[in-house]
């Protein structure tokens, strides 16, 4: 198979939560361990940082990778989902995995995947570990896909664990309370391995403390500490918390491991995240006059911060190109959106995408009004046509909406 055939096979043959939702979710790590054994345990050849959290884990992972690259290390970075090309998920020093490596890996192990009903995510995690081990990276930043305790990435023993924050998302799998979700995320905390908590609440802090105490794991609460406010090319308001989490993690690496990262490495790394790692979709400006911002925030916690940041902008009229997936709790997120805006409702082009007419009807219950469009691109084009130079256009509601206009 060539690269495109390989990707098509992966999408069509393997369960994929990103596109399909609940039917792709696995409830234990049996397959992850089985695949690791089949691949001769590549994860055991890696030094890793494991990053979980409801929001900010992608930005935090990219920031960490950028800083470590500036310190001269060969850095593997595994994140999900991708925006445009599957290979965005697996990078070394900002360079995506080659098409040939993906092709060869799938061809070599295809029968094993089929025989053992491997999910898309499990297979991709195995690919990332195998690639990083083959390339002999100095360190790998491994982002959790969903949750933590039962996530396929959770077969690693990292140098340090990171949990950015806890919010109500994926409640059908992780639980419908902050405590329950914190328990799932805290599943990445390993015995005698330090853990950094980015943000916490009165409900989640005891969960983290209990898990850390069980494993004699040193725990750090980054939000409580004072760090130098390094500037960054990631300018969303929410990046303030992510930067503190990164700085605390770097401090622990310097203190507890052989890695050496200087203040200059930190400064350069945070200033050049996009250039070093290729991160997209975080408060990203894609047009001027009118100013257009796209952002992948898609749950209550993330959207609250983004919508507050929009209110700091100066504009005459506000336009929203909005689409969501069909398992989103609309009664939780729609009240966050401003009523005095024009809405362009659309459906992201994936099976999980929510029908735009359904979104329009639900939005009307919260006095959010606008037209329905046949595609994300059509909605975006219309918003640009309607907006004048002094207006503001926001594109979001789902990672997949952002992906279609980048």
């Amino acid at each position: 198979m060539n690269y495109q055939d390989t990707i098509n096979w992966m999408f069509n043959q393997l369960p994929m939560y990103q596109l399909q939702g609940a039917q792709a979710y696995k409830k234990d790590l049996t397959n992850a361990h089985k695949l690791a054994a089949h691949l001769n345990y590549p994860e055991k050849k890696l030094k890793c940082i494991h990053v979980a959290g409801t929001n900010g884990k992608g930005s935090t992972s990219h920031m960490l990778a950028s800083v470590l690259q500036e310190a001269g290390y060969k850095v593997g970075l595994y994140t999900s989902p991708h925006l445009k090309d599957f290979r965005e998920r697996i990078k070394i020093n900002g360079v995506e995995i080659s098409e040939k490596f993906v092709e060869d890996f799938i061809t070599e192990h295809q029968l094993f995947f089929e025989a053992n009903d491997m999910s898309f995510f499990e297979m991709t995690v195995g690919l990332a570990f195998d690639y990083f081990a083959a390339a002999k990276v100095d360190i790998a930043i491994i982002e959790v896909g969903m949750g933590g305790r039962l996530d396929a990435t959770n077969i690693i023993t990292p140098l340090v664990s990171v949990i950015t924050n806890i919010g109500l998302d994926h409640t059908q799998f992780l639980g419908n309370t902050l405590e329950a979700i914190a328990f799932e995320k805290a599943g990445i905390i390993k015995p005698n391995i330090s853990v950094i908590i980015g943000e916490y609440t009165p409900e989640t802090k005891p969960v983290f403390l209990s898990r850390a105490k069980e494993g004699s794991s040193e725990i750090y609460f980054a939000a409580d500490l004072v760090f130098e406010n390094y500037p960054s090319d990631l300018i969303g308001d929410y990046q303030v918390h992510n930067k503190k989490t990164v700085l605390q993690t770097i401090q622990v690496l310097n203190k507890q491991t052989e890695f050496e990262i200087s203040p200059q490495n930190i400064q350069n790394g945070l200033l050049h995240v996009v250039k070093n790692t290729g991160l997209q979709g975080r408060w990203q400006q894609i047009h001027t006059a009118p100013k257009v911002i796209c952002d992948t925030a898609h749950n209550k916690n993330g959207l609250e911060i983004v919508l507050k940041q929009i209110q700091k902008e100066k504009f005459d009229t506000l336009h929203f190109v909005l689409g969501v997936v069909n398992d989103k709790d609309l009664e939780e997120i729609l009240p966050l959106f401003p009523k005095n805006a024009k809405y362009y409702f659309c459906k992201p082009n994936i099976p999980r995408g929510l029908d735009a007419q359904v979104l329009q009807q639900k939005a009307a219950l919260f006095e959010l009004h606008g037209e329905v469009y046949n595609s994300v691109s059509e909605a975006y084009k219309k918003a640009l046509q309607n907006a004048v130079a002094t207006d503001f256009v926001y594109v979001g509601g789902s990672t997949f909406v952002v992906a279609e206009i980048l």
Side-chain angles (χ1 to χ4, degrees):
M1 292 188 289
N2 63 27
Y3 174 70
Q4 195 54 55
D5 288 340
T6 301
I7 298 302
N8 291 340
W9 180 85
M10 290 162 62
F11 284 179
N12 292 332
Q13 301 299 322
L14 298 174
M16 182 182 182
Y17 175 77
Q18 178 184 348
L19 296 179
Q20 298 171 337
Q23 62 180 302
Y25 182 64
K26 296 293 183 74
K27 295 185 177 180
D28 60 50
L29 294 176
T30 301
N31 268 13
H33 285 296
K34 193 182 295 184
L35 179 55
H38 173 73
L39 297 174
N40 195 25
Y41 304 102
E43 77 285 356
K44 293 184 178 180
K45 303 167 188 171
L46 302 174
K47 295 175 181 176
C48 301
I49 299 174
H50 205 189
V51 184
T54 302
N55 294 301
K57 59 184 184 289
S59 294
T60 298
S61 296
H62 280 79
M63 285 182 182
L64 284 167
S66 182
V67 169
L68 285 159
Q69 285 173 226
E70 289 288 347
Y73 295 108
K74 187 176 186 179
V75 184
L77 177 61
Y78 173 73
T79 58
S80 62
H82 61 271
L83 286 173
K84 301 298 287 185
D85 186 332
F86 167 81
R87 295 182 302 133
E88 296 167 28
R89 294 169 178 248
I90 304 170
K91 299 178 180 179
I92 296 177
N93 282 9
V95 179
E96 296 172 355
I97 186 172
S98 70
E99 293 184 357
K100 187 175 189 309
F101 198 100
V102 177
E103 293 168 15
D104 291 347
F105 182 85
I106 295 299
T107 300
E108 181 179 354
H109 304 291
Q110 182 176 350
L111 293 178
F112 177 85
F113 296 149
E114 292 175 334
N116 291 279
D117 191 30
M118 289 285 155
S119 75
F120 176 93
F121 190 76
E122 288 162 345
M123 181 275 301
T124 306
V125 168
L127 170 62
F129 291 165
D130 194 64
Y131 182 61
F132 294 153
K136 294 183 170 59
V137 298
D138 296 315
I139 191 166
I141 316 298
I142 306 297
E143 181 193 343
V144 167
M146 181 172 64
R149 182 174 66 93
L150 300 177
D151 189 78
T153 63
N154 202 29
I155 61 174
I156 62 174
T157 301
L159 299 174
V160 61
S161 304
V162 179
I163 302 173
T164 58
N165 55 40
I166 302 299
L168 294 173
D169 200 20
H170 302 305
T171 54
Q172 68 271 47
F173 306 112
L174 306 180
N176 56 14
T177 67
L178 292 176
E179 293 93 337
I181 295 173
F183 175 80
E184 294 298 325
K185 308 282 187 188
I188 72 165
I189 301 175
K190 302 297 193 301
N192 303 304
I193 303 294
S194 292
V195 58
I196 286 84
I197 307 299
E199 301 172 72
Y200 63 87
T201 68
E203 297 90 349
T204 63
K205 188 173 185 179
V207 178
F208 297 137
L209 287 170
S210 174
R211 175 73 182 200
K213 184 178 180 181
E214 283 175 23
S216 301
S217 305
E218 196 167 357
I219 188 167
Y220 299 82
F221 292 96
D224 293 343
L225 300 178
V226 177
F227 292 100
E228 182 177 343
N229 185 23
Y230 289 92
S232 174
D233 59 343
L234 303 184
I235 58 176
D237 286 356
Y238 49 81
Q239 301 297 1
V240 173
H241 298 294
N242 296 332
K243 277 195 290 184
K244 292 188 75 170
T245 305
V246 167
L247 293 171
Q248 180 66 81
T249 304
I250 295 299
Q251 188 179 90
V252 170
L253 283 179
N254 274 336
K255 177 183 173 183
Q256 299 182 1
T257 74
E258 74 273 24
F259 289 89
E260 296 181 4
I261 303 104
S262 71
Q264 190 65 52
N265 299 149
I266 296 171
Q267 180 174 319
N268 291 340
L270 292 177
L271 277 175
H272 302 115
V273 179
V274 174
K275 183 182 107 176
N276 286 343
T277 71
L279 179 63
Q280 295 191 83
R282 273 64 168 188
W283 196 259
Q284 182 176 348
Q285 184 169 346
I286 57 175
H287 195 273
T288 305
K291 185 174 184 178
V292 179
I293 293 290
C294 66
D295 195 281
T296 56
H298 58 275
N299 54 40
K300 182 180 179 182
N301 300 71
L303 287 168
E304 279 180 331
I305 298 171
V306 166
L307 291 168
K308 285 178 183 175
Q309 186 164 356
I310 289 174
Q311 294 307 317
K312 296 177 184 178
E313 297 282 336
K314 293 181 180 179
F315 52 78
D316 289 331
T317 302
L318 183 57
H319 305 257
F320 278 92
V321 177
L322 188 65
V324 298
V325 292
N326 59 21
D327 58 1
K328 196 57 56 184
D329 186 347
L330 296 179
E331 293 190 359
E332 181 177 63
I333 66 169
L334 288 176
L336 304 175
F337 286 85
K339 298 173 184 176
N340 60 338
K342 294 182 178 180
Y343 287 86
Y344 304 76
F345 299 109
C346 51
K347 173 186 177 294
N349 188 27
I350 59 167
R352 287 174 62 212
L354 180 68
D355 184 271
Q357 288 189 329
V358 174
L359 179 59
Q360 181 194 45
Q361 291 164 6
K362 293 284 188 180
L365 299 177
F366 298 93
E367 300 179 57
L368 311 177
H369 301 291
E371 300 300 320
V372 168
Y373 295 89
N374 293 322
S375 67
V376 172
S377 60
E378 183 182 315
Y380 177 52
K381 186 182 296 185
K382 191 64 176 178
L384 283 182
Q385 288 176 356
N386 288 347
V388 299
T390 52
D391 288 352
F392 185 96
V393 179
Y394 178 84
V395 182
S398 166
T399 299
F400 309 107
V401 170
V402 173
E404 288 188 48
I405 56 95
L406 283 180

